[in-house]
Amino acid sequence: MSVKDNESMKTVSFITPFYNGNRYLPHLCEVLTQNTYGLAQRWPDMQTEWIIVNDSPQTPVKAPVSSAFPVRVVNHPQNAGIHAARATGLLHATGSLVLFLDQDDEIAPDFLVRQVQTIRDTGADVVVSNAWIEQSDGRKLLLYRTRFQYRKILRMAVYAKTHNQIVSPGQCLIRRASIPEFWQSHI
């Protein structure tokens, strides 16, 4: 990866579709704050922003205040669905890296540092992390338990024959420039 590519990675935009989810926002803010502080320790010139897209206009967003990053709320005039909320968030984002997190998602405290480092090291357009899948009894199991399972995310034949191997966009730190215009305009 060229130095220029690394220099263009100055801001990470967290984009969260919101639907009647005020109870989730304080915890998500705490996790994003931890990740932002970790990022700032590693790369002091990098910053983050959090864009919450309210897709339930009848419910006002009680956006947490953070000293680590700006929080912006964008309101849809009517419910348009999760994909539309993500696309709206992308329109308002300023970051060159994007993380689409659902309101009830969780990420590890060092998630962002590890993902940004991987993008810097590899020049990849997207980095996919593992995920915890919560069971009905409350236990959490890793989604990819073996290297074979994890490597299936790179095999197009797997997608053609079965299903999407990536459970949540929250597993993916994405270069904004690599998000297809088609995805943004076809809701």
Side-chain angles (χ1 to χ4, degrees):
M1 172 187 285
S2 73
V3 173
K4 182 180 178 200
D5 288 338
N6 278 336
E7 287 176 359
S8 68
M9 292 192 299
K10 296 286 187 198
T11 302
V12 177
S13 297
F14 306 122
I15 298 172
T16 301
F18 174 92
Y19 188 83
N20 294 328
N22 280 313
R23 70 184 177 276
Y24 299 110
L25 296 182
H27 179 70
L28 186 54
C29 185
E30 183 180 311
V31 169
L32 297 179
T33 298
Q34 287 176 322
N35 273 270
T36 296
Y37 286 143
L39 190 71
Q41 284 181 322
R42 185 72 179 270
W43 298 286
D45 61 330
M46 288 193 75
Q47 50 192 291
T48 62
E49 64 179 355
W50 189 17
I51 300 154
I52 302 168
V53 181
N54 185 358
D55 201 38
S56 55
Q58 73 285 359
T59 305
V61 174
K62 296 176 185 167
V65 176
S66 174
S67 60
F69 45 78
V71 179
R72 285 182 284 148
V73 175
V74 179
N75 292 295
H76 274 174
Q78 62 188 27
N79 177 266
I82 196 166
H83 182 86
R86 289 179 179 138
T88 297
L90 190 61
L91 286 173
H92 289 85
T94 64
S96 56
L97 296 172
V98 175
L99 182 61
F100 293 105
L101 286 171
D102 292 346
Q103 60 196 17
D104 61 345
D105 279 351
E106 273 192 63
I107 55 175
D110 63 342
F111 173 89
L112 199 53
V113 168
R114 292 184 326 188
Q115 300 301 76
V116 169
Q117 186 64 60
T118 301
I119 283 182
R120 285 175 172 258
D121 290 348
T122 65
D125 287 330
V126 62
V127 180
V128 181
S129 69
N130 210 336
W132 293 101
I133 305 298
E134 189 167 348
Q135 307 300 298
S136 59
D137 63 4
R139 290 179 304 127
K140 293 182 180 179
L141 299 176
L142 281 175
L143 175 62
Y144 313 119
R145 293 180 206 101
T146 66
R147 270 193 156 331
F148 174 75
Q149 289 174 318
Y150 195 72
R151 290 183 183 196
K152 287 193 317 185
I153 62 175
L154 298 174
R155 296 189 182 140
M156 289 299 133
V158 172
Y159 293 88
K161 292 179 183 177
T162 62
H163 57 85
N164 191 348
Q165 300 299 300
I166 301 170
V167 176
S168 168
Q171 291 176 253
C172 306
L173 182 63
I174 308 166
R175 280 187 196 270
R176 180 185 182 155
S178 71
I179 298 173
E181 189 281 326
F182 184 88
W183 178 90
Q184 298 172 58
S185 61
H186 288 78
I187 307 301

